[in-house]
Each structure stands twice: as structure tokens, then as C-alpha cells.
Amino acid sequence: MKHRIRAAGILIQNQSVLMVRVKDFSGEYWIPPGGGMEKGDRSSKDGLKREFLEETGLEVEVGELICVREFLETHTERYHAEFFYQITAFSGEPHTDNLVGLNDEQYIQSVEWIAINELDGKRVYPADLKSKVIGMVEQKNFSTHLGSYVQGEDEKTNYL
């Protein structure tokens, strides 16, 4: 079985959350911006900054770890560990122009602000985004991330 480490960002503004509308073999649905770690990413936060810029055109500051989710992508037999972080600041306007020529160009349909009270009527992942994750952000109920280190190099530097 393949494995993938993925990070996603929860960006809330004016009672709306920034979401990406995607389409795959199962249909259309909404997810927070983010993606898998790639070569050169020193931490899940680094990967999230890169993915946020690619998918939304926004430069972001990544805050606290909110929660972790795991899931099996059955059609690829790939197991995901997904880290959800609070996005504490951003610059720019959301757009998908950065996707041209990337592998997500056909997958990502749009990036939009979705009113939190409208999430119930949409196919959203994680399914408990509104019922749990957004509440954790609002209550500042964060998880503990012990850091991101490189074994054998400078083992004292935390790359988060």
C-alpha cells in the first residue's frame, strides 16, 4: 500500500471558509486548500504554504495544528495522513491561474469563499468540517505538534 502525507489549511474570514471545488471519478466536492508533501518541503507547514499558493494564488501564514485525519483512497490503494492547520494571515486574491500546466489543473474546478452556514448543503471533506473543525478554530482548541526534524543532520532544528 502507498502512503501520502497531506496538509490542508482552514482559512476563515467574515463567517466564510475558503474552499476548493474539485472533481474526480466520484463527482464534485469541496475541500480546504492543501495537498501532499513534495521534495523540498521541510515540513507539512512548508508543503501547505506551497500548495496554498498553487491552488489559490494566496501567500499564507500557517498557524497551529488543528487536527489530523486519516483515510484510505480506495481506487489507488493509497493511505493518507492529513494534517489540518489554521491559516492565520494571507495576502492576495483567490484565483486558480497558478494551476496552468500542473497535475491538478483538471482536478481543481474553482476556489471560493463558502459561507459556513451553507456547508451543510454541500458535499464537503472532511465531512465534519462544520461540526468539528471550524469549532476547534473558533474555540482555539488546537492539537500539539512536536515539530519537524531531520535525522542525522541538524537534529535540533525544528522546521515548523
Side-chain angles (χ1 to χ4, degrees), residues 3 33 51 74 85 117 130 143:
H3 299 89
E51 288 283 348
T74 55
Y85 289 97
N117 63 4
K130 182 180 176 187
S143 295

Side-chain angles (χ1 to χ4, degrees), residues 10-61:
I10 306 299
L11 175 53
I12 299 172
Q13 179 177 279
N14 300 325
Q15 295 301 305
S16 294
V17 61
L18 191 67
M19 300 289 283
V20 175
R21 182 171 52 92
V22 299
K23 183 178 182 180
D24 66 12
F25 74 97
S26 70
E28 286 191 353
Y29 53 94
W30 296 87
I31 59 174
M37 290 190 63
E38 293 180 4
K39 187 174 182 159
D41 294 337
R42 298 293 288 221
S43 68
S44 53
K45 282 186 175 184
D46 274 357
L48 180 54
K49 287 178 187 178
R50 177 188 45 72
E51 288 283 348
F52 229 94
L53 184 61
E54 287 176 7
E55 294 182 359
T56 71
L58 300 178
E59 292 189 17
V60 297
E61 290 181 26

Side-chain angles (χ1 to χ4, degrees), residues 8-10 44-45 62-66 83-87 145:
I10 306 299
S44 53
K45 282 186 175 184
V62 180
E64 297 295 324
L65 176 67
I66 303 166
F83 297 77
F84 289 89
Y85 289 97
Q86 179 186 27
I87 301 300
H145 195 309

Side-chain angles (χ1 to χ4, degrees), residues 117-151:
N117 63 4
E118 294 176 9
L119 290 173
D120 286 337
K122 299 189 180 306
R123 182 179 174 207
V124 173
Y125 293 104
D128 47 8
L129 178 68
K130 182 180 176 187
S131 65
K132 291 184 181 175
V133 179
I134 290 175
M136 291 173 173
V137 173
E138 293 171 342
Q139 297 168 17
K140 297 186 182 339
N141 182 15
F142 300 118
S143 295
T144 300
H145 195 309
L146 299 178
S148 177
Y149 301 90
V150 178
Q151 183 178 10

